[in-house]
Amino acid sequence: ALFVLLLVRWIRASLGWRSALGATAIVVACGALPHAWENSTWGFQSQFPLALLFLFLHAHGSFTHEPGTRRWWIAQAWGLAGLFTLASMWTAPLAVFAVSWWTGASRSRWNRIPAGVAILGLALLALVRIVAPPEGAFAHTSGSLLGFLHAFLDLLGWPSSRPWAVAVLYAPLVGFALRMRGRTDATAFDRIVLALGWWSAAQCLSLAFARGSDYSGFVSRYGDLLVIGVVANALAFLRLAGDAPQWRVWSALGASAWLVTLGFGLAAVSYEGHAGYFHQHAVSNAARRRDAIRAYLADGNRTLLQTQETRFVLYQDVDQITRLLDDPKFRSLLPHSVVTATPADAAGSLARTVEANWLAILLLSLVVLGAGVALGGPVASETGGLAAFDGSPTSVHRWIALIGLAATGFLLAWPSPWTFDMLQRWRNLVLPPGSVQGLSFEFAGPSPFPNGRLAGAARIMPEDLRNEFFGTQPAGPELKCTVLSTPFTITSPWLVLPLAGFPCSEGNFLQLEIKDPGAAAIAIPYTAGNPGDIAFWPIDVRRFQGRAARLVMVDGRSAEEGWLAVAPPIAAAEPAVAVRLARRLPFDRLAATHTVLGFIALACFGWCGLVFGRFLRNND
């Protein structure tokens, strides 16, 4: 709350009331979200609010006070304090120094002090890495460059998980940064906006590095930090839009796209993921805690306190809970809803009143806000700021074109670079031309499930990819079974079989059976080991051209390793096809990044086309 207060005060003092009102609405909406409350209230990473407060004061004071003055040194002390909140907070003083350098003010010796704070933060981080044990929270497994890029672009798109979100949400800051290059006359407000934006982008880089090897989407608690990027982009857009009439229509369209993307993203992080889980279980968890404590206070019954469900939502050490409950002084602190002898507390009553009447309170707040806007009047803005973004600097357009070319270059690194349909990409991977057509699978013997349940019966993600496989897990791994494919004719020297699961665990196996007229079938077993992901098995069938064959999957295990799955085999002229498909898999796993790059390239070239069209009209 204090961080939001300082942020809003700074915005209100720096912008006209219309711009300040819009920015304040975004700040308050983001600050009030429940995207991280479960971690803060449980004490997990509760230093996030301190990091926000310290580093905002550092960035603000570094640019609003003359270097070398007492208040400027206090701002550097805030930056130093931020180093002891989160390991990556050295990025904030680095962003302050980078903004000074970018705007042409780095020649002053004072501007080296924030860089020194950043270096100190890196040194502390290196020290922790040296002395910390190799296991535990600080353990880090290296990820691929592709995984790092995927995580970075996804984090930049917070709060939206849509692949194109980053191209919309970070477009204002990119344009603003290009406009600020070499501007020694830039105001303190503009420099602070750019520093906040670069700080947030650096956080995305840090999180992508730390989580790139096992990244599966942004974690809710990171929203407290990533919201800085949203605020910086909103302020950058307000500064760029200005009041240039020739760009008013495009500004309105851009603002609409930005706000819609932000709005749907904020709704998602408020009702899905971690927040969604707590919304669904908060009431039942609270009831479980209350019932267990009431039962113990009534007659000393520990049964409910000792259940795993209660320990999970209350505390694992039951003895410590009972020691506290046996203390009369502690019992007197328990609320009226738990101990009826305790008088009803004003704070709890107020919270329940607000919860029961939230709609009326919201409407009243909007009325008060409207009255404040009407009565408040304008506030003087800083003078000498950036002019409206009228598109005149040629260097800006060149940078945007270069960004578009770079995005296109990365885009071309993907197999099938112009295929953006994810379902089609999966089919190109596991059902390319040459795949056996019309293949189906059936249980060998009685089964509680129909044969149709074998399609997609595998623990493979995403769902579109899973549905291209046939597996032995129609309802969990407990089922033990043998599954046979329908016969097919071998028409190529090699077959490449996509597979997943645990075909080499004891009790399981996978093989290709080739029918031999008048003799026992010839079996070619898979022996290369259990794949960590999807694997592609090259099978040499040059001796069996024109013969009939079938696939056999035996699942003789239950629990974790009780499944295996295959997709239809692919006719191939050489075994290198399996290698090419295996190399393609990581790219298709991260095809969302491919889509992001496509949108970035489209946005950049669309901007260049808009500017070029305007140039032609002005010269007619």
Side-chain angles (χ1 to χ4, degrees), residues 299-524:
D299 55 12
N301 189 341
R302 295 164 53 104
T303 303
L304 293 180
L305 286 174
Q306 291 174 331
T307 65
Q308 185 58 44
E309 293 80 5
T310 303
R311 292 167 64 192
F312 179 74
V313 299
L314 181 57
Y315 200 68
Q316 289 291 334
D317 189 347
V318 177
D319 290 336
Q320 185 166 337
I321 293 293
T322 56
R323 282 196 300 270
L324 287 169
L325 294 177
D326 291 339
D327 185 344
K329 293 181 179 180
F330 182 83
R331 285 202 304 273
S332 67
L333 299 175
L334 295 176
H336 179 75
S337 58
V338 177
V339 180
T340 55
T342 304
D345 61 294
S349 300
L350 177 61
R352 286 184 285 274
T353 301
V354 170
E355 183 181 14
N357 301 280
W358 68 270
L359 182 58
I361 294 173
L362 174 63
L363 294 175
L364 179 62
S365 300
L366 291 175
V367 172
V368 173
L369 178 63
V373 170
L375 299 175
V379 174
S381 301
E382 283 187 335
T383 58
L386 286 176
F389 190 35
D390 57 6
S392 57
T394 306
S395 60
V396 170
H397 309 319
R398 290 174 181 169
W399 276 96
I400 292 177
L402 286 174
I403 294 172
L405 289 172
T408 303
F410 280 113
L411 187 73
L412 295 175
W414 259 259
S416 304
W418 308 116
T419 301
F420 292 93
D421 183 349
M422 196 65 251
L423 180 58
Q424 187 58 48
R425 295 191 70 90
W426 291 132
R427 287 175 175 166
N428 291 344
L429 177 69
V430 297
L431 290 175
S435 297
V436 174
Q437 300 296 313
L439 195 69
S440 61
F441 288 76
E442 60 186 20
F443 290 101
S447 170
F449 303 100
N451 292 330
R453 289 288 297 275
L454 294 170
R459 200 159 63 241
I460 299 173
M461 292 299 289
E463 183 178 355
D464 288 340
L465 177 59
R466 180 175 70 239
N467 290 335
E468 307 298 339
F469 282 77
F470 296 86
T472 65
Q473 187 174 279
E478 291 79 13
L479 178 67
K480 297 180 180 181
C481 61
T482 298
V483 175
L484 308 174
S485 76
T486 52
F488 60 95
T489 302
I490 297 174
T491 60
S492 62
W494 291 83
L495 291 176
V496 174
L497 183 67
L499 61 99
F502 298 88
C504 291
S505 295
E506 184 178 354
N508 297 352
F509 69 83
L510 167 65
Q511 65 184 27
L512 176 71
E513 283 189 357
I514 299 162
K515 294 186 177 180
D516 189 357
I522 299 172
I524 303 177

Side-chain angles (χ1 to χ4, degrees), residues 579-590:
V579 177
R580 289 197 294 268
L581 291 174
R583 288 175 177 172
R584 173 175 179 154
L585 178 62
F587 286 90
D588 283 339
R589 281 285 192 200
L590 301 179

Side-chain angles (χ1 to χ4, degrees), residues 30-57:
C30 292
L33 288 177
H35 54 70
W37 65 266
E38 74 277 11
N39 293 316
S40 296
T41 55
W42 282 29
F44 178 44
Q45 293 183 326
S46 55
Q47 67 272 34
F48 276 43
L50 291 177
L52 290 171
L53 182 62
F54 292 169
L55 278 309
F56 172 73
L57 291 171

Side-chain angles (χ1 to χ4, degrees), residues 255-280:
S256 299
W258 193 88
L259 288 171
V260 168
T261 304
L262 175 67
F264 279 103
L266 292 179
V269 297
S270 298
Y271 293 102
E272 300 174 7
H274 283 194
Y277 175 86
F278 277 83
H279 286 320
Q280 294 167 18

Side-chain angles (χ1 to χ4, degrees), residues 493-560:
W494 291 83
L495 291 176
V496 174
L497 183 67
L499 61 99
F502 298 88
C504 291
S505 295
E506 184 178 354
N508 297 352
F509 69 83
L510 167 65
Q511 65 184 27
L512 176 71
E513 283 189 357
I514 299 162
K515 294 186 177 180
D516 189 357
I522 299 172
I524 303 177
Y526 173 79
T527 59
N530 295 320
D533 194 2
I534 295 169
F536 297 88
W537 174 28
I539 312 172
D540 186 353
V541 291
R542 286 173 290 187
R543 296 184 295 120
F544 309 110
Q545 297 287 301
R547 303 269 287 274
R550 70 177 181 180
L551 292 165
V552 179
M553 290 188 289
V554 174
D555 180 353
R557 297 178 66 92
S558 60
E560 182 66 23

Side-chain angles (χ1 to χ4, degrees), residues 32-296:
L33 288 177
H35 54 70
W37 65 266
E38 74 277 11
N39 293 316
S40 296
T41 55
W42 282 29
F44 178 44
Q45 293 183 326
S46 55
Q47 67 272 34
F48 276 43
L50 291 177
L52 290 171
L53 182 62
F54 292 169
L55 278 309
F56 172 73
L57 291 171
H58 169 65
H60 182 272
S62 294
F63 292 116
T64 54
H65 301 299
E66 189 68 25
T69 61
R70 181 175 62 88
R71 292 191 174 185
W72 184 86
W73 278 109
I74 291 175
Q76 308 317 303
W78 286 122
L80 184 64
L83 300 181
F84 299 93
T85 56
L86 294 166
S88 58
M89 286 303 107
W90 59 271
T91 56
L94 181 64
V96 169
F97 171 77
V99 168
S100 299
W101 171 81
W102 183 256
T103 57
S106 62
R107 290 182 293 273
S108 172
R109 61 189 177 91
W110 296 109
N111 290 320
R112 301 170 190 169
I113 301 299
V117 176
I119 293 172
L120 176 60
L122 277 173
L124 291 172
L125 187 58
L127 178 63
V128 173
R129 293 299 297 266
I130 292 172
V131 302
E135 71 281 350
F138 221 96
H140 173 71
T141 55
S142 60
S144 66
L145 180 62
L146 182 62
F148 168 76
L149 178 63
H150 167 72
F152 175 56
L153 292 176
D154 188 60
L155 288 162
L156 283 178
W158 187 92
S160 177
S161 58
R162 301 294 183 183
W164 43 263
V166 62
V168 176
L169 293 177
Y170 257 78
L173 190 67
V174 171
F176 185 71
L178 295 176
R179 192 82 167 106
M180 288 278 287
R181 186 168 180 264
R183 288 295 298 266
T184 56
D185 60 337
T187 63
F189 178 83
D190 295 329
R191 287 195 169 103
I192 295 170
V193 170
L194 188 56
L196 293 177
W198 283 0
W199 172 27
S200 182
Q203 282 301 306
C204 295
L205 278 171
S206 301
L207 294 172
F209 174 76
R211 299 293 297 269
S213 58
D214 62 346
Y215 185 77
S216 58
F218 38 72
V219 182
S220 62
R221 59 185 173 275
Y222 295 154
D224 279 337
L225 300 177
L226 301 181
V227 73
I228 291 290
V230 173
V231 174
N233 275 277
L235 296 174
F237 184 86
L238 290 170
R239 296 293 284 146
L240 290 175
D243 58 354
Q246 65 271 37
W247 294 100
R248 188 162 293 165
V249 173
W250 294 108
S251 296
L253 291 175
S256 299
W258 193 88
L259 288 171
V260 168
T261 304
L262 175 67
F264 279 103
L266 292 179
V269 297
S270 298
Y271 293 102
E272 300 174 7
H274 283 194
Y277 175 86
F278 277 83
H279 286 320
Q280 294 167 18
H281 299 281
V283 173
S284 60
N285 288 345
R288 183 175 290 114
R289 288 190 291 264
R290 280 196 303 267
D291 292 344
I293 292 175
R294 283 171 175 169
Y296 180 79

